[in-house]
Amino acid sequence: MIKPLLDALERVHAEWAYCIATLLPITSWCGKMALPCCWISVRRGAISSQEAARRYENAFKSPPVEITEARFMEMLGVLPPLGRRHACDAESFKLMELTAGSVTTSFVRIGARYFEMSDSVYLKHDDCIARCRAIM
């Protein structure tokens, strides 16, 4: 049902089709029309496709939450860690697998406390540590 809709939209305008394809899973539906509300906004020029993509990624970001040491160690062994860093009493790493766009899950250890959060894969170690210290 969705595939024919996306094919038709690609012929009409590739940017609109991209917006629907990327935002479909998290948007609300507009009445009985099978079109996400964000598509209506992009079509009318309310937001750009870059803004739509930014909103899509932001929906997958989450603040730091405290986790157990066992969870931290388990995730360290799931895939090869990305960007693993150590500094003083803190360390951080990210999962290689991206959740959406450039969003991934980061894991942080500060002393004997452990945290998990989802944010940009480009977020630096020091910024990860700062965000976790803010909730300590």
Side-chain angles (χ1 to χ4, degrees):
M1 181 172 116
I2 298 298
K3 178 79 170 117
L5 174 65
L6 291 175
D7 291 342
L9 286 171
E10 273 187 339
R11 288 190 296 274
V12 174
H13 198 287
E15 186 174 81
W16 296 349
Y18 170 76
C19 179
I20 283 186
T22 58
L23 296 173
L24 191 59
I26 62 163
T27 56
S28 59
W29 295 93
C30 299
K32 294 183 180 186
M33 295 173 52
L35 296 175
C37 294
C38 69
W39 181 78
I40 302 298
S41 298
V42 171
R43 183 171 178 224
R44 292 183 182 155
I47 61 173
S48 67
S49 59
Q50 292 83 10
E51 175 64 13
R54 186 188 66 76
R55 289 182 186 183
Y56 174 70
E57 284 189 5
N58 284 344
F60 290 91
K61 293 180 180 179
S62 65
V65 293
E66 195 157 358
I67 60 171
T68 64
E69 178 184 8
R71 167 86 174 149
F72 182 88
M73 297 309 252
E74 174 189 3
M75 297 314 292
L76 185 58
V78 169
L79 293 170
L82 181 66
R84 188 171 184 194
R85 301 283 183 265
H86 299 270
C88 299
D89 68 335
E91 75 176 288
S92 71
F93 70 91
K94 298 171 181 67
L95 293 182
M96 291 179 68
E97 188 172 73
L98 301 177
T99 308
S102 64
V103 176
T104 190
T105 307
S106 300
F107 294 87
V108 176
R109 178 190 60 80
I110 302 173
R113 295 180 70 182
Y114 299 86
F115 302 89
E116 175 179 342
M117 63 188 212
S118 292
D119 210 311
S120 172
V121 70
Y122 304 110
L123 191 66
K124 295 184 184 325
H125 168 77
D126 293 338
D127 295 332
C128 290
I129 300 301
R131 287 191 186 179
C132 293
R133 284 192 196 277
I135 68 162
M136 290 176 74

